[in-house]
């Protein structure tokens, strides 16, 4: 057990490489913390947020970490020294998900205001106007492996694919869930996505077409999270059951 946060822990990011194996966690206590993954000892405690932190993500090169809070602030920080690179105040309401592009130059974020935003990591500015189209909270975002597409999951029960350059939707909304979609995960080979929902299922989708793949996995209660194994052979999912 690793303990130290004073309130609920909402996200974990794993750093496997150059600085030694570390975990970065974010919490309702308004802090992000760094831990040694081997000894479980604390290494650093980071501020920068004045509200509960909902989400956290590492850049592909493990040099930066981004976090978002319930009042709309995104913080991008240098991992090695913990120095804050940007503090970006977006819109009222929660930042529910942050995800770096595969080349690490952009950061996508999912918001309570039903939008997806894309930021330039170097200068902290918006790359374009917010991407709109969902009709309820956008709860999760991921990039395609080539960085050309952004996939979003929403409480409006749908998923959507967006052109990351233009912000235009690609194809129709992906439908099938009967309740809030809580997150989205891209397989390591980039060919399929998985989405867990409050409808007690995990569904699979073809990345290129949005077509459903196979039958949904059934849970006994709301499902919050899913991730693929590195081999793509397995998924792990967790929920209120």
């Amino acid at each position: 057990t690793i303990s130290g946060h004073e309130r609920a822990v909402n996200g974990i990011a794993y750093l496997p490489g150059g600085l030694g194996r570390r975990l970065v966690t974010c919490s309702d206590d308004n802090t992000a913390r760094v831990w040694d993954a081997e000894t479980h000892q604390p290494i650093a405690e980071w501020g920068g947020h004045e509200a509960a932190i909902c989400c956290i993500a590492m850049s592909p090169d493990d040099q930066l970490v981004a976090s978002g809070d319930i009042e709309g602030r995104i913080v991008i920080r240098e991992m090695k020294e913990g120095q804050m690179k940007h503090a970006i105040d977006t819109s009222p309401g929660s930042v529910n998900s942050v995800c770096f592009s595969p080349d690490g130059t952009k950061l996508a974020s999912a918001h309570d205001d039903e939008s997806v935003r894309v930021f330039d990591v170097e200068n902290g500015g918006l790359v374009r106007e917010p991407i709109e189209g969902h009709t309820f909270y956008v709860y999760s975002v991921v990039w395609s492996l080539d960085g050309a597409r952004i996939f979003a999951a929403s409480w409006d029960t749908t998923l959507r694919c967006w052109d990351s350059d233009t912000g235009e939707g690609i194809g129709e909304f992906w439908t099938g869930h009967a309740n809030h979609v809580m997150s989205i995960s891209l397989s390591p080979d980039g060919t399929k996505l998985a989405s867990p929902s409050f409808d007690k299922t995990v569904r699979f989708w073809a990345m290129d077409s949005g077509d459903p793949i196979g039958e949904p996995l059934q849970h006994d209660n709301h499902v919050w999270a899913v991730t693929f194994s590195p081999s793509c052979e397995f998924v792990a999912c967790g929920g209120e059951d």
Side-chain angles (χ1 to χ4, degrees):
T1 300
I2 298 175
S3 60
H5 282 294
E6 297 174 1
R7 297 186 66 188
V9 179
N10 295 317
I12 303 174
Y14 178 57
L15 177 69
L19 298 173
R21 288 199 272 182
R22 297 183 179 184
L23 299 172
V24 187
T25 56
C26 65
S27 169
D28 280 355
D29 66 9
N30 304 0
T31 69
R33 302 187 186 214
V34 185
W35 313 84
D36 186 302
E38 300 290 341
T39 67
H40 300 175
Q41 294 302 304
I43 295 173
E45 178 180 330
W46 295 335
H49 291 276
E50 298 177 359
I53 308 174
C54 310
C55 54
I56 197 158
M58 296 294 305
S59 63
D61 62 3
D62 297 332
Q63 298 302 304
L64 299 173
V65 59
S67 51
D69 70 34
I70 63 171
E71 292 186 351
R73 171 170 284 192
I74 294 171
V75 171
I76 301 175
R77 191 183 297 272
E78 295 178 359
M79 183 67 204
K80 187 174 182 179
E81 303 294 337
Q83 183 176 350
M84 193 183 301
K85 185 177 178 71
H86 302 295
I88 307 164
D89 291 316
T90 61
S91 65
S94 181
V95 181
N96 298 310
S97 174
V98 288
C99 185
F100 285 92
S101 61
D103 65 3
T105 63
K106 299 181 181 69
L107 182 79
S109 55
H111 296 259
D112 271 4
D113 69 0
E114 305 170 2
S115 75
V116 172
R117 287 171 166 80
V118 181
F119 297 93
D120 184 296
V121 169
E122 183 58 36
N123 62 38
L126 272 173
V127 173
R128 68 188 55 78
E129 291 299 309
I131 299 171
E132 298 177 338
H134 283 289
T135 59
F136 207 169
Y137 304 151
V138 183
Y139 232 66
S140 186
V141 286
V142 295
W143 297 76
S144 61
L145 294 186
D146 63 3
R149 302 181 183 190
I150 296 171
F151 302 94
S154 171
W155 275 26
D156 66 11
T157 76
T158 72
L159 294 83
R160 189 80 193 269
C161 177
W162 308 91
D163 185 298
S164 64
D165 286 329
T166 67
E168 297 296 322
I170 299 174
E172 301 298 322
F173 286 90
W174 301 2
T175 60
H177 282 297
N179 206 329
H180 305 331
V181 187
M182 301 306 297
S183 65
I184 190 169
S185 179
L186 180 69
S187 62
D189 64 6
T191 63
K192 60 183 72 73
L193 296 115
S195 58
S197 169
F198 272 22
D199 66 8
K200 307 178 185 178
T201 70
V202 175
R203 292 179 179 266
F204 299 93
W205 315 85
M207 187 278 290
D208 284 334
S209 65
D211 292 336
I213 299 174
E215 294 298 317
L217 305 181
Q218 302 291 330
H219 275 250
D220 293 328
N221 209 325
H222 302 156
V223 195
W224 282 78
V226 66
T227 191
F228 286 88
S229 67
S231 68
C232 303
E233 186 179 2
F234 303 101
V235 291
C237 39
E240 293 178 28
D241 59 5

